[in-house]
Amino acid sequence: MAASRAALRAMREDVQSLDISDVTANWVNAAVLEKQIEDRVKALADLSDTPLFFGRLDFLHAPGAERAEGAEGERFYVGRRHVHDADGDPMVIDWRAPVSQAFYQATRKDPKDVALRRRFGYTGGDITAYEDERLSDPAEEATTSRLLQREIERPRVGPMRDIVATIQPEQDEIVRAGLAGSVCVQGGPGTGKTAVGLHRVAYLLYAHRERLARTGTLVIGPNRSFLHYIEQVLPALGELAVRQATVDDLVAHVEVRGTDDATAAVVKGDARMAQVLRRALYAHVTMPAEPVVVVRGSRRWRVAAYEVEELVRELLDRDIRYGAAREALPQRIAHAVLVRMERAGEAPDDRVQDAVARSAAVKACVKAVWPAVDPARLVLRLLSEPEFLAGHAAGLLTEEEQKAVLWAKPARSVRTARWSAADAVLVDEAADLIERTPSLGHVVLDEAQDLSPMQYRAVGRRCTTGSVTVLGDLAQGTTPWATRGWPEALAHLGKEGAVIEELTAGFRVPTDVIAYASRLLPHIAPGLTPVRSIRENPGFFEIRAAGDPVTACAELLRREGSVGLICADARLPGLARELTEAGIGHLAPGAETTREVRLTLVPASLAKGLEYDYVVLDEPGAVVAGEPDERTGLRRLYVCLTRAVSGLIVTHGEPLPVQLS
């Protein structure tokens, strides 16, 4: 360990000492190289509390070599990043390298030529234990890895951490799936789907670095608190170039200042709205009533109205973006003029065609036939003018649905409109109809079950030529428009061919807690396989009738680890006051816990995706009642019940939901 840390330090110092003064032709090249060197230095950082390697593989034979009798094996240390010595020989092998796959996939039935697999145990950054499995020795009995269990059950303090030391075979297969294919992972609470998605990004950047450096990668989370919670995972693995955003960030064409009721939000999020927008946009295209007459010198060149109409209809039939077709039309008209010039004996070139395309007559024709359209103004008109909406929603939306989406008080302009989050998605759809949205190489979409069809389309536009990893749990869908099934969601994303995988082994939630929460599954997601906890530590689970949540928090804070107090949103201010009066410091979701302040007060609406060593759940009945319908409320409760890693205390004064009995 000491030698590998010294080698990593030498690697970093080598990069820092690079002199680029003689290799840069200009200041632009110098700036680019300096940025690349800066990023490389950051990637080579040695985190004092993070071990460089967590395992060792002793192969019977050198991988890739001929397995001749008497041939020597080879030893590899597997870690978070590659480290080499002064001669360039590897000291630590990156967990993503092909040779490292045996660390996760080798079993006694299929040892993959591994003689010994060693796991290292750590306290902080120091080695404190190790454990060996002799996979090729038939005399040795199979045992459960104590170090693996200890790592899985280690207290959670601070942001989410990587799972490279604990990746299971079924998770490893998803992580290493090829870049060309899209993957959808259905996983219950604690199955590690978020960590699998993040490690998949890290793996793809390792295996396809040059390609993804050009096309980009993106992780999409449900909210800022969630993104803050996961933001340190990829840098810990040496990956710094992955952008993180919410869906709202992607569609931020207008300022969101308003909200929709559930009925309006469901209709605005329906995929039928895409067709309504298309109709409304292309209704701006009209057929010419007059010819185009271009004057050049003493000559007048005339293109008949019916010929211009043919050009317009040809562009409409090609089904290209509205803006691209509008840019192509003047060139098409100009080409028709050039044909006439050539027939008259002239020899015009491309410069003449460009001049004709920019002429006043052609510009006036294009403006009248194929006018420019602002996407926000288009949506503003649809939501403000009943006649305009009715004309383009006929046969798609019912009268009741049209009334639901119309603004009660129409806005005067784009700037003064009180846009909702669903409206912003409509603007994004309209913008894509006008001009194609650039595609990324790979997108990870987490907590996907809460997206509307229109939000799925917004994400799909960002990966039309790339691939996507979709992560979610149908049982945790807590919006009125929550996903009913993954095939439907993948169709909205434009990834119908994606492979759907299901993770059912739970690494986070204690057995008694997940068994209790699973009582809700028949009511919220019938047909889903309940999560099976593989934790050896059963943790603890208590239900306290007439229990005080603040007292329960004080009890749990005497233990090691983080504590989350989860409550219905409406009860948050009152509990915050009670904690303050009791002298118990607390944080908001997403804030990093410290040794001094380990309690987070969490509204039920923000609990998704977060985890704490111990959870106090206040008034389950109030959590259910805080949602617009019972099924959504029970799903929200399922989320809240499954945030605990080591123990859960449920306190209630009101009756528990009957579905839990």
Side-chain angles (χ1 to χ4, degrees):
M1 175 62 76
S4 64
R5 286 200 184 280
L8 180 61
R9 185 167 56 250
M11 290 170 62
R12 189 168 60 252
E13 290 171 353
D14 285 347
V15 176
Q16 290 172 324
S17 65
L18 288 174
D19 182 2
I20 62 172
S21 58
D22 294 332
V23 297
T24 53
N26 51 52
W27 69 270
V28 176
N29 289 345
V32 170
L33 273 175
E34 285 173 4
K35 180 64 168 63
Q36 291 175 340
I37 290 173
E38 180 184 341
D39 290 344
R40 179 64 173 160
V41 169
K42 288 179 181 178
L44 290 171
D46 186 3
L47 307 177
S48 59
D49 60 345
T50 303
L52 282 181
F53 56 83
F54 48 82
R56 194 183 94 188
L57 286 173
D58 291 4
F59 286 93
L60 292 170
H61 307 86
E66 297 243 349
R67 299 191 179 183
E69 189 173 339
E72 291 187 7
E74 197 164 356
R75 173 177 296 173
F76 296 95
Y77 286 85
V78 180
R80 286 167 171 77
R81 60 156 306 105
H82 173 86
V83 179
H84 61 250
D85 61 19
D87 297 323
D89 294 325
M91 299 181 69
V92 179
I93 300 296
D94 196 303
W95 66 275
R96 297 166 288 187
V99 73
S100 300
Q101 189 167 7
F103 185 81
Y104 304 107
Q105 295 286 343
T107 63
R108 294 187 183 279
K109 290 184 178 179
D110 181 15
K112 300 188 182 300
D113 201 45
V114 175
L116 179 141
R117 173 169 55 200
R118 173 169 290 179
R119 299 181 191 276
F120 294 96
Y122 291 88
T123 300
D126 300 322
I127 296 177
T128 52
Y130 70 88
E131 178 183 77
D132 289 345
E133 296 175 89
R134 301 185 185 281
L135 299 178
S136 298
D137 184 354
E140 187 167 307
E141 295 182 4
T143 57
T144 302
S145 169
R146 297 292 180 184
L147 288 181
L148 185 60
Q149 282 290 335
R150 194 183 307 166
E151 174 65 18
I152 289 173
E153 297 169 6
R154 184 154 57 92
R156 268 75 167 159
V157 177
M160 183 180 182
R161 63 176 190 265
D162 64 74
I163 61 165
V164 288
T166 62
I167 291 174
Q168 299 297 294
E170 64 273 18
Q171 296 174 320
D172 187 64
E173 290 177 4
I174 297 171
V175 167
R176 296 177 192 265
L179 177 61
S182 293
V183 180
C184 175
V185 182
Q186 158 64 39
T191 55
K193 56 185 177 296
T194 296
V196 166
L198 294 174
H199 286 68
R200 176 158 164 71
V201 172
Y203 170 77
L204 292 175
L205 285 167
Y206 175 89
H208 307 277
R209 188 165 301 280
E210 289 188 8
R211 178 176 171 183
L212 290 177
R214 295 193 305 270
T215 56
T217 51
L218 173 66
V219 174
I220 301 174
N223 51 56
R224 283 277 148 209
S225 297
F226 179 83
L227 292 178
H228 181 72
Y229 177 60
I230 68 171
E231 67 183 358
Q232 294 304 316
V233 174
L234 289 168
L237 299 173
E239 299 300 344
L240 306 169
V242 181
R243 180 186 163 206
Q244 297 182 359
T246 65
V247 173
D248 290 344
D249 294 333
L250 300 182
V251 300
H253 304 283
V254 292
E255 182 182 0
V256 174
R257 296 184 297 147
T259 57
D260 290 313
D261 60 36
T263 302
V266 168
V267 179
K268 289 179 180 179
D270 195 289
R272 292 172 294 168
M273 287 300 298
Q275 186 60 29
V276 174
L277 286 165
R278 175 175 283 274
R279 286 181 181 179
L281 175 63
Y282 282 91
H284 289 79
V285 179
T286 58
M287 296 305 160
E290 298 179 353
V292 177
V293 180
V294 177
V295 178
R296 284 190 61 81
S298 60
R299 303 291 299 271
R300 292 162 59 88
W301 305 99
R302 182 177 180 277
V303 182
Y306 77 88
E307 292 181 86
V308 178
E309 180 176 340
E310 288 177 358
L311 297 175
V312 171
R313 294 192 182 281
E314 181 186 342
L315 288 171
L316 289 172
D317 291 342
R318 289 187 60 191
D319 196 30
I320 58 177
R321 293 295 193 277
Y322 184 94
R326 186 175 186 276
E327 291 177 3
L329 182 57
Q331 291 291 336
R332 298 293 180 90
I333 296 172
H335 179 73
V337 171
L338 257 66
V339 170
R340 284 160 174 71
M341 290 180 176
E342 290 169 348
R343 288 174 181 168
E346 296 191 17
D349 55 18
D350 291 344
R351 289 173 298 177
V352 175
Q353 180 168 330
D354 289 340
V356 172
R358 294 193 302 268
S359 66
V362 173
K363 283 184 177 179
C365 174
V366 172
K367 184 177 180 180
V369 172
W370 207 298
V373 177
D374 177 72
R377 291 181 183 277
L378 177 68
V379 176
L380 178 74
R381 190 178 175 194
L382 273 174
L383 301 180
S384 302
E385 301 179 18
E387 297 81 8
F388 188 66
L389 176 62
H392 302 298
L396 293 172
L397 303 181
T398 65
E399 289 186 12
E400 290 74 17
E401 288 173 326
Q402 292 177 37
K403 290 178 182 177
V405 301
L406 282 167
W407 287 336
K409 185 179 180 182
R412 294 183 178 181
S413 68
V414 169
R415 291 187 62 186
T416 61
R418 295 186 62 81
W419 299 100
S420 69
D423 297 335
V425 178
L426 296 179
V427 175
D428 188 70
E429 178 83 28
D432 183 72
L433 288 169
I434 295 169
E435 185 175 346
R436 184 182 298 277
T437 304
S439 175
L440 296 162
H442 190 77
V443 171
V444 173
L445 174 61
D446 204 355
E447 299 295 348
Q449 72 279 345
D450 276 336
L451 267 61
S452 70
M454 290 299 287
Q455 287 175 316
Y456 277 120
R457 290 175 61 88
V459 174
R461 286 192 282 278
R462 271 76 186 176
C463 54
T464 50
T465 59
S467 55
V468 63
T469 298
V470 180
L471 311 167
D473 179 13
L474 297 177
Q476 296 186 60
T478 51
T479 56
W481 51 84
T483 303
R484 292 186 290 262
W486 293 121
E488 178 185 343
L490 293 169
H492 292 311
L493 276 169
K495 303 296 180 184
E496 293 90 340
V499 176
I500 301 176
E501 303 280 0
E502 186 172 9
L503 296 175
T504 58
F507 304 96
R508 174 169 56 80
V509 187
T511 301
D512 290 347
V513 174
I514 196 63
Y516 184 70
S518 294
R519 295 180 183 183
L520 298 174
L521 284 180
H523 308 281
I524 61 177
L528 278 189
T529 304
V531 172
R532 172 181 53 84
S533 179
I534 66 168
R535 293 167 58 99
E536 292 193 344
N537 180 356
F540 73 87
F541 169 54
E542 294 182 26
I543 300 176
R544 298 182 180 179
D548 176 20
V550 175
T551 300
C553 288
E555 292 176 19
L556 294 176
L557 285 170
R558 298 189 191 108
R559 301 170 180 256
E560 181 186 6
S562 58
V563 179
L565 172 54
I566 304 178
C567 64
D569 290 33
R571 292 178 58 82
L572 190 80
L575 285 173
R577 285 194 299 272
E578 290 182 34
L579 288 170
T580 301
E581 290 169 1
I584 300 176
H586 58 277
L587 305 167
E592 189 169 333
T593 55
T594 64
R595 297 202 175 276
E596 292 74 31
V597 183
R598 293 182 287 115
L599 174 66
T600 305
L601 179 57
V602 187
S605 60
L606 293 182
K608 190 171 298 178
L610 305 179
E611 61 180 33
Y612 304 93
D613 285 292
Y614 302 98
V615 166
V616 176
L617 176 57
D618 168 70
E619 290 295 352
V623 172
V624 176
E627 299 299 328
D629 61 83
E630 185 180 64
R631 189 183 77 157
T632 303
L634 291 173
R635 286 183 167 185
R636 183 77 71 189
L637 177 58
Y638 181 76
V639 171
C640 296
L641 284 168
T642 54
R643 300 302 97 199
V645 174
S646 297
L648 170 67
I649 297 175
V650 176
T651 61
H652 68 99
E654 299 298 322
L656 293 172
V658 295
Q659 292 84 355
L660 286 174
S661 62

